[in-house]
Each structure stands twice: as C-alpha cells, then as structure tokens.
Amino acid sequence: MNEPQVDAPRTVSHDLPVSPEFEVFMAGDWTPTPLVADIRLAAADFTPARRARLSARFPGERLIIPAGELKVRSNDCDHRFRPYSAYAWLTGLTGEEQAGHVLVLEPDGPHRHEAVLYVRPRSPRTDGGFYRDRRYGEFWVGRRPDLDEAERMTGIRCTGLGDRGMLPPGRDATVDAELAAVLGELRLIKDAWEVDQVQFAVDHTAAGFEDVVRDLPRALAHPRGERWIEGVFGLRARAEGNGTGYETIVASGAHACVLHWIRNDGPLDARQLLLLDSGVETDSLYTADITRTLPLSGRFSPVQRQVYDLVLAAQDAGIAALRPGASFRDFHRAAMRVIAEGLTEWGVLKSPEGDLHRRYTLCSSGHMLGLDVHDCAQARVESYLDGVLEEGQVLTVEPGLYLQPDDETLPDELRGMGVRIEDDLVITAEGARLMSGALPRTPDAIEAWMGELTESR
C-alpha cells in the first residue's frame, strides 16, 4: 500500500533575487490556456458509487483521505509522486500534480456525505510562483487544473488548499486503522472499469515480455545483462503507461532464489534460467504482475524442464481451485500439495505431509491485484486471507520453487535454480478467467515463442 509521505524541508534556493521591474514584466502578456472542454475522467462514472459505499460504512463521520506529500530523494530533488491508492480510487485523480491534495467526505445528514476536494489551484501569473517555485510552479513542473477544471474532471466540488485551515478533525485514512481496513475491503471487488484497466496493463506487460525476448542477444552480450533487460521492459512500461507497477525483478541463475531480487546487476549465462517478474502500471495506476521463467539458451535442459514442469503443475492446480465461494487460501493449498508430492517423488522430502516443503517455496502462491501490486493489503484477515473468493476479484497465482545454491538437502544438479510462474486472473461466475493468457506457460510453447521472436528480430 502506498502510504502518503511526510513533507520534508527544502534547501534554500540559490536563485538571484529578481527586480521589481522583472516581476512586473513576468506578470503580464500571457495568452489564456484553458484545458480542453471535454476533460471529464473516465473513472468519474464509477467514483460516486465507490464514495457512496464508503459513506455507508461511516455514517455521520468526517472522512479525510489525503493524496500524500512529495518526498525528497536527494537534496532538492523529489521522488516521482504517486498518489495514495485509496485517494486515486475515490477521485479518479492519478497525476503527479496531486501531491498535497486532500479528499474530505463531509457528513451531509445521517446517511450520506458530500465530497470536497482540497486542491492546489493553478499557479496564478501574478505572484511569481509560477516561474520561481521549483516544487509547484507551472514553469518547473507543468500546468495544474484550476478549480473549475478540477470539478469538471472529477464531478467533485473543489476548493483551494488554503481553505482547509479551518477544517475540523475527522478520521484520517493514513492514520486510522479501521478506515484504512474498510477502504481495502471495499476495493477487493473490482468494477468493470477496473477490470478493463488491469487487462490493459496485462496486455502491455505481455508486449514488454516480447520486447525482452527479442533483445536477449544484446542482453546476453552485456556484462550487466539483467539491467539491460530491466531497461528494455521499462521502456515499454513508460511508453505505454505510467511506468512499472513495482520494481522489476530480473534474476538470472541463482539470483532467482532471491524472491525480491531488484539489484539486477548480474550477467546472463545462456546455460541458465532467467526469472522475469514485472508489470506495466497504467496511467490510471492499475498494474499487472506477471512472472515467466525462461531458458536463456531458448531451450530447457532436462533438469530445468523437470523443475519447471513441477511448478507449472502446481500453478495449474491452483488455478483450478479458483471459483466464487472457495476459500482464498484454497488455491495456495492446492498448489503446495503438488509441490510437496513432487519433492517427495524426487527424494528431497520423505513425505508430502507437514510443512517441510516450505524450505523450497518460502511464500504464499498469490495475492490480490489492482491499484497496488499487493492490493487491498490493509483489509482485515477475515475479509481477505481468511475470506472467500467473489466474482470481480482480481488476483495472481504464482507458485515457485527456490532451490538455494548452498542447500545441502538438494542434489547438486538442482541447486541454484529458481522457477516461478505467475499469471493474473479475474474471478467469474463460472470460475476464473486467465487475463495473461497471451504469454505462453508450457515449456514447449515457451521454446517455440522464444524461437519465433528471436528469429523475427
């Protein structure tokens, strides 16, 4: 969950003072530049229902949902800003200019609220801030909507940030655990627009994986081939969306045994496997989350195929367990049963019973997906992890085997190999729809796919 950050002090500007004559000169002779008339956000058709569902859970209470603040990366340079996911979900606003903005749901009778957005209006051309304020000035960071434009975009009443000085306290989503939990629970089931946004992210992620395979020859030749691949995928993510939804994992060889390997500074060896875990984040901030484990030579060796086949069988079992009314944990249990039985057949375990298989799997086999890669993480356990699946939920199924290079319980030929297969699915009335089916999953299909892409390069 992307928690808003506390604003940090800035260094003193080193700009020279400006003369009164220059201030007057800069204040005049600017052509009006209104935004286009049709600026209503597509999400604005869905946000009123989302706010109404939240309102019904907290009758008569003031609810405060901040977008978050800018956070310093180094000295006077900020990290790229991404709004708090609940703020984006309730307003449809996702841009970097949202830093510091606040949505307030004001009680308006016992059973409803009025939404009010406190925003930083467009920089006026009269006070010098538009060209001197490096953090918020229009000439430094780009144009913001004025209040009228913001209202037309969102359908929400907007007022200036300076007007919130008299705002009475209320439940703050960034500090109130109950409000944060309810927001997570309300987001568990996606509306049709949200499902479409995730599908859009998935489709572009599939294209990014194709880009990577096409460029493998150059990545293999580079001393930091992992980073080359990260850059190739990142280009697709920035060109088609907001960027990546999380730090890309490019793990070759034994690096794949590190679940969140994001250093991505290693070379590639054609004799090894590559684990690529990445997702495009759309401009609306919905992300995909897909993992493929690929043979860098284009062909699986017999032992690589053995490990891959077991993980694929586990994923198939997990996917088969997805249906409305099933326990959320059922698909993980189904996948782990296959893994434990396979490890027993290999002689790594003496029995599939118990939890000793976890030495080689380490984590759960999936999670909710949406505005956050690990979506709805603040939802209460009884509503999420111990809850049941419902139509409209979007989630990943991602079993893996992580066979550490120094694990003496394993035969030498298995050590240093990590395999994870991750796909994105939406729960339907009949079961689940595979959203990432454009990418091959079976070893034969992967080899054929890689061959076609490298030959067409």
Side-chain angles (χ1 to χ4, degrees):
M1 182 167 156
N2 297 303
E3 296 291 351
Q5 303 291 338
V6 175
D7 206 354
R10 308 292 286 187
T11 56
V12 175
S13 172
H14 289 226
D15 289 345
L16 292 172
V18 300
S19 66
E21 293 79 12
F22 184 77
E23 288 183 337
V24 171
F25 182 59
M26 289 296 289
D29 299 317
W30 299 105
T31 300
T33 56
L35 294 179
V36 295
D38 185 17
I39 57 175
R40 183 176 170 86
L41 298 169
D45 291 336
F46 296 86
T47 54
R50 298 172 190 172
R51 294 192 298 270
R53 290 166 60 200
L54 178 62
S55 174
R57 299 290 290 272
F58 294 96
E61 296 192 64
R62 177 174 290 104
L63 306 178
I64 301 171
I65 300 93
E69 301 288 350
L70 291 168
K71 183 179 180 182
V72 173
R73 182 183 186 275
S74 64
N75 191 35
D76 58 351
C77 296
D78 292 315
H79 286 280
R80 187 180 296 277
F81 180 75
R82 183 191 187 280
Y84 176 45
S85 292
Y87 173 90
W89 185 70
L90 292 166
T91 66
L93 294 166
T94 60
E96 295 178 28
E97 76 283 352
Q98 296 302 310
H101 295 186
V102 181
L103 171 68
V104 178
L105 298 186
E106 291 283 1
D108 185 19
H111 301 297
R112 55 170 299 201
H113 290 75
E114 180 196 13
V116 182
L117 264 174
Y118 291 83
V119 302
R120 183 176 289 103
R122 185 183 182 191
S123 305
R125 296 294 175 92
T126 55
D127 66 359
F130 71 100
Y131 66 93
R132 300 207 67 191
D133 185 339
R134 292 174 177 238
R135 204 171 206 189
Y136 301 112
E138 184 172 319
F139 282 13
W140 287 94
V141 298
R143 188 198 193 292
R144 288 186 302 274
D146 61 30
L147 294 179
D148 178 67
E149 290 166 340
E151 287 191 1
R152 285 190 285 130
M153 291 172 70
T154 62
I156 302 173
R157 181 166 70 88
C158 295
T159 188
L161 270 177
D163 298 331
R164 67 176 176 162
M166 301 301 292
L167 184 67
R171 285 182 178 260
D172 187 325
T174 63
V175 297
D176 187 289
E178 183 183 7
L179 177 54
V182 168
L183 283 165
E185 290 159 7
L186 292 176
R187 289 170 47 216
L188 282 168
I189 297 176
K190 273 54 181 177
D191 55 43
W193 184 82
E194 292 181 284
V195 174
D196 287 345
Q197 290 300 299
V198 176
Q199 186 66 65
F200 183 85
V202 166
D203 293 344
H204 284 298
T205 299
F209 275 67
E210 292 181 355
D211 295 340
V212 165
V213 173
R214 288 191 187 96
D215 224 39
L216 275 180
R218 289 205 287 180
L220 282 159
H222 196 278
R224 292 204 291 184
E226 290 179 345
R227 200 154 288 185
W228 188 278
I229 289 173
E230 179 185 355
V232 169
F233 188 89
L235 174 60
R236 173 69 65 170
R238 282 294 281 168
E240 307 293 355
N242 189 51
T244 56
Y246 53 96
E247 293 292 334
T248 296
I249 297 169
V250 186
S252 62
H255 289 168
C257 298
V258 181
L259 272 71
H260 288 170
W261 174 263
I262 59 172
R263 298 180 197 173
N264 301 342
D265 59 358
L268 306 182
D269 184 332
R271 298 167 297 180
Q272 296 177 333
L273 297 173
L274 171 74
L275 190 156
L276 175 61
D277 184 338
S278 198
V280 171
E281 179 181 83
T282 66
D283 291 334
S284 60
L285 304 186
Y286 288 81
T287 187
D289 182 9
I290 299 174
T291 306
R292 287 296 182 268
T293 305
L294 309 173
L296 283 166
S297 68
R299 307 284 295 184
F300 289 95
S301 71
V303 70
Q304 289 170 349
R305 183 178 281 254
Q306 172 190 346
V307 176
Y308 189 96
D309 279 342
L310 178 55
V311 177
L312 180 61
Q315 193 196 35
D316 285 341
I319 291 173
L322 298 177
R323 65 182 62 86
S327 167
F328 174 80
R329 298 185 191 269
D330 281 352
F331 74 90
H332 172 66
R333 296 187 184 105
M336 290 302 98
R337 182 69 188 181
V338 171
I339 291 287
E341 290 174 350
L343 291 171
T344 303
E345 290 176 8
W346 294 353
V348 173
L349 293 178
K350 295 180 180 179
S351 167
E353 305 305 323
D355 64 353
L356 298 187
H357 65 276
R358 294 179 65 180
R359 178 181 178 113
Y360 314 100
T361 61
L362 300 177
C363 67
S364 185
S365 300
H367 51 81
M368 293 296 178
L369 182 69
L371 278 168
D372 296 318
V373 64
H374 298 139
D375 207 33
C376 310
Q378 300 302 311
R380 286 167 285 211
V381 171
E382 57 268 26
S383 299
Y384 179 176
L385 298 177
D386 288 339
V388 298
L389 297 177
E390 298 184 56
E391 185 176 355
Q393 292 179 338
V394 178
L395 73 164
T396 73
V397 178
E398 54 167 326
L401 272 175
Y402 310 99
L403 309 176
Q404 303 295 335
D406 56 349
D407 190 340
E408 295 183 354
T409 69
L410 297 169
D412 289 343
E413 65 270 19
L414 292 178
R415 295 183 191 179
M417 199 183 312
V419 174
R420 178 165 67 251
I421 312 169
E422 181 177 22
D423 283 278
D424 304 339
L425 302 103
V426 57
I427 303 299
T428 65
E430 296 77 27
R433 175 171 64 84
L434 183 63
M435 304 177 78
S436 47
L439 287 173
R441 296 170 58 237
T442 67
D444 289 345
I446 286 173
E447 290 177 349
W449 173 70
M450 293 182 70
E452 292 169 2
L453 290 174
T454 52
E455 287 173 8
S456 65
R457 183 176 178 271

